[in-house]
Amino acid sequence: MKSFLALLFLFPLAIIAQVSDEEQLKSFYDTSLLEGQSYEWLDHLSNQIGGRLSGSYNAERAVRYTESELKNMGLDRVWLQPVMVPKWTRGPKEYAYIESKPGAVNAVNICALGGSVATPDGGLKTGVIEVKGIEELEKLGREAIQGKIVFYNRPMQANLINTFEAYGGCVDQRYSGAAEAAKYGAAGVIVRSMNLRIDDLPHTGSMSYGDLPAEKRIPAAAISTQDAELLSSMLALDDSIKFYFNQKCQVFPDVQSYNVIGEITGSEFPGQIITVGGHLDSWDLGDGAHDDGAGCVQSMEVLRLFKETGYRPKRTIRVVLFMNEENGLRGGRKYAEVAKEKGEQHIFALESDAGGFTPRGFSFDCSDADFERIQSWKSLFEPYLIHYFEQGGSGADIGPLKGEGVVLAGLRPDTQRYFDHHHAANDTFEHVNRRELELGAATMASLVYLIDKYGTASLQKIKG
Ligand SMILES: [Zn+2]
C-alpha cells in the first residue's frame, strides 16, 4: 500500500521528467527487438507480393499494401504521390550457351539487363571478344569488335573492405557497356555479374543506351560469375568459339505509379520536415527483400517506434517509399520536385538502401558543422555497437533533395554479404535476419529522434 501511494505521488513527476537520450534510444531498441513490426511487413512484401519492378502489377500491389499499413498505424496523414515510371518486361526466361564447335555446347546462366532490347528473333549467335573494361574498346578498334559479342569481364575487387567501392569500380561495364560497344559495331554484350562470389546466379541491374538511336541498340545480358570464368577460360583455349543468347525483353510506354507517403505532424515546427525512406520497387528475379524491401519496412518502423514509445516529435516526420529507384529514379526526382514547388523545408533526409544486414552506422552528406554536431551523439550508439559515422554519400532517392541547409544520410549496414544477393534470384526473404533488420530500424529511429530534438547546425545558422 505504501509503495502504491509512493507511485501515485511519483507518477505526475515521471510525466514531467525528461526522458534522457539514453533512455529514449533504449526504448526504441527494446520495442524494435521485442515487438517489432518490420519483419512481418517484409514477409508480406516479399512472400505475398514478391519482386516489384516499376510498372508491374506487383509494384501496384506493394503501393496499395504499404498505403493501407501506414493508414493502420494511425499517422496524421497518408497519401500517394503520382509519378510516371518506365515499364520494361523481361519476358520468358533467357537462354544462352557457349558453342566450342558445331554441336558441342555448354548452357550458361544469363539474365537480360534492365532496359535492354531483345535479341533478334531466334537469338543471336556470334564470336566473342573479351575485355576487362570499356577503355579497351578503343585499342581494339572497330575491326576487331564489329559483329561480335563484347564480353566485359572485369571482376569486383575482393580486397576492398567496403564492397560498394568494389561495385562502383565495375558497374560502368553494366551501365554503359552496351552503348559503348555499339559504337564499334558490336552485336551484343555479355557482362560479368556484379558479385564477389563465384556462383551460378546472374545479377541484373540497370543499363542505358544514352542517346543511341533505337536501330543502333544492341542486347545486353549479365552472366553468372561461374559462367564468366568458364567463358573466359574457353576463350583462352580457342578464341573462335561462339556464344548464343536469346532474350525477349520489351520496353512499353511509361505508366503511372506512386510514391507512398505518411507523416506524423510536428508539434512545434510542423513546417520543418524530416524524411526517412527506402525504395518500394525492386528487380524481378528475387523478391527484393534486401533491395529494398528492408529499407521500406525499416522506414515505416521508425514512425511506428515513435508512436509506440510515446515520443511526440517537434518536427514533421515523414516516411517516403520511393517508386522506381532501380531503373529510373523517377520517384526520388518527383518527391524533390513537389517539395520544391510547395516550398517545403526539408532539414534532414535518411535513406536505408544497402540491405537489411547488421547496421554499423551512417554516412552523412552534410556540412562540417553538421557532421561535428552529429558526431557528438556517437557515444549514444556505442552500447549497440553501431557507431561508424562518416562523411560521404547518402541514398539515391533522397539525392535530389540535396541543397542548402539539408542534411542527407544513409544507413550503413555491414556490406560483406550484400553483393551475394544484389539484383539476383536469391535476394529473398529468408536471407534477411530478423534481428539485424530490427536493429537497423531502431538505429534509424534513434538518429531521427536526435535530429528532431536538437535540430541541425544548418538550421541554427539559418535562424541565427
Ligand atoms: Zn536499392
Side-chain angles (χ1 to χ4, degrees):
M1 193 61 186
K2 209 171 152 192
S3 62
F4 178 66
L5 283 174
L7 255 179
L8 270 181
F9 175 70
L10 284 171
F11 190 58
L13 281 180
I15 289 179
I16 307 162
Q18 277 267 352
V19 174
S20 72
D21 292 337
E22 285 81 1
E23 287 164 338
Q24 184 59 48
L25 262 62
K26 185 163 188 327
S27 78
F28 286 142
Y29 282 94
D30 285 352
T31 309
S32 188
L33 291 167
L34 294 170
E35 43 188 287
Q37 185 61 46
S38 53
Y39 194 68
E40 276 71 32
W41 281 326
L42 187 63
D43 188 0
H44 189 101
L45 268 184
S46 309
N47 292 322
Q48 302 301 315
I49 297 176
R52 304 169 293 281
L53 193 55
S54 289
S56 67
Y57 176 55
N58 276 1
E60 187 62 28
R61 287 172 68 204
V63 165
R64 302 297 163 193
Y65 170 67
T66 50
E67 180 195 21
S68 88
E69 288 302 306
L70 290 181
K71 283 185 172 157
N72 291 343
M73 264 162 66
L75 301 179
D76 297 317
R77 278 176 76 204
V78 174
W79 70 102
L80 300 182
Q81 181 173 68
V83 56
M84 296 301 288
V85 297
K87 184 177 172 74
W88 172 86
T89 59
R90 181 175 304 284
K93 192 169 160 38
E94 305 83 345
Y95 179 65
Y97 59 78
I98 304 166
E99 188 181 77
S100 49
K101 54 181 186 251
V105 299
N106 287 79
V108 291
N109 297 290
I110 66 153
C111 66
L113 294 180
S116 173
V117 296
T119 47
D121 273 347
L124 171 69
K125 184 163 81 174
T126 182
V128 184
I129 186 154
E130 178 178 342
V131 295
K132 287 280 160 47
I134 289 168
E135 58 289 349
E136 284 182 32
L137 300 177
E138 201 184 340
K139 274 179 259 162
L140 287 165
R142 178 170 272 272
E143 212 171 306
I145 296 169
Q146 178 97 36
K148 289 211 173 122
I149 290 169
V150 171
F151 167 39
Y152 289 101
N153 192 31
R154 182 165 79 256
M156 283 172 77
Q157 204 182 315
N159 61 340
L160 292 171
I161 302 306
N162 180 351
T163 60
F164 278 87
E165 268 179 56
Y167 179 64
C170 282
V171 73
D172 63 325
Q173 301 175 101
R174 188 195 78 205
Y175 192 74
S176 320
E180 293 302 321
K183 291 179 190 163
Y184 295 90
V189 302
I190 295 293
V191 184
R192 182 190 181 99
S193 286
M194 309 286 126
N195 178 5
L196 281 150
R197 290 199 304 194
I198 298 296
D199 65 25
D200 290 325
L201 298 171
H203 295 226
T204 191
S206 64
M207 55 87 65
S208 166
Y209 291 110
D211 46 20
L212 215 59
E215 68 279 6
K216 292 255 167 79
R217 297 180 176 189
I218 58 173
I223 187 168
S224 76
T225 47
Q226 180 97 278
D227 290 328
E229 296 282 300
L230 175 70
L231 177 58
S232 182
S233 59
M234 288 176 77
L235 280 167
L237 292 173
D238 177 4
D239 65 6
S240 71
I241 60 173
K242 295 204 159 40
F243 192 90
Y244 169 86
F245 73 121
N246 194 348
Q247 58 189 35
K248 299 191 185 306
C249 25
Q250 261 181 290
V251 178
F252 294 88
D254 290 357
V255 296
Q256 181 159 299
S257 188
Y258 304 91
N259 291 327
V260 182
I261 309 177
E263 71 179 31
I264 302 173
T265 310
S267 59
E268 278 181 51
F269 312 109
Q272 294 180 9
I273 296 163
I274 294 175
T275 285
V276 56
H279 64 86
L280 195 51
D281 65 306
S282 77
W283 284 107
D284 55 331
L285 297 173
D287 61 34
H290 275 296
D291 188 10
D292 183 26
C296 288
V297 299
Q298 286 173 326
S299 301
M300 291 162 70
E301 182 75 346
V302 168
L303 275 72
R304 201 191 68 91
L305 290 176
F306 273 40
K307 289 188 85 80
E308 285 296 309
T309 61
Y311 178 75
R312 180 95 201 274
K314 293 199 277 188
R315 307 163 209 274
T316 292
I317 314 292
R318 203 178 264 181
V319 55
V320 184
L321 310 179
F322 296 94
M323 185 50 71
N324 185 229
E325 188 273 345
E326 295 293 4
N327 56 341
L329 206 65
R330 302 275 185 88
R333 291 207 187 98
K334 175 58 84 178
Y335 181 74
E337 184 190 307
V338 172
K340 204 172 169 193
E341 270 168 29
K342 293 194 168 167
E344 288 178 347
Q345 184 189 10
H346 280 74
I347 68 156
F348 178 59
L350 169 63
E351 179 155 13
S352 167
D353 182 20
F357 297 100
T358 305
R360 300 285 198 207
F362 300 98
S363 173
F364 295 93
D365 183 352
C366 67
S367 68
D368 290 344
D370 267 309
F371 189 59
E372 207 174 298
R373 163 184 289 240
I374 289 160
Q375 270 191 309
S376 73
W377 301 330
K378 220 159 118 171
S379 61
L380 289 166
F381 292 85
E382 273 171 21
Y384 310 98
L385 306 175
I386 304 166
H387 47 285
Y388 175 74
F389 289 10
E390 63 166 12
Q391 265 178 298
S394 57
D397 296 289
I398 58 173
L401 285 172
K402 191 177 165 86
E404 194 68 29
V406 56
V407 173
L408 303 179
L411 180 71
R412 291 293 175 260
D414 185 82
T415 68
Q416 302 313 319
R417 286 170 289 150
Y418 188 53
F419 290 95
D420 295 359
H421 304 278
H422 186 248
H423 300 178
N426 64 343
D427 180 2
T428 47
F429 181 69
E430 68 270 25
H431 295 293
V432 177
N433 174 282
R434 176 171 201 139
R435 290 180 63 80
E436 293 178 357
L437 181 78
E438 291 168 345
L439 284 169
T443 303
M444 291 163 70
S446 299
L447 180 64
V448 169
Y449 155 80
L450 290 165
I451 299 261
D452 177 63
K453 187 167 170 188
Y454 298 108
T456 61
S458 310
L459 198 55
Q460 277 178 348
K461 218 173 97 190
I462 296 167
K463 273 197 216 152

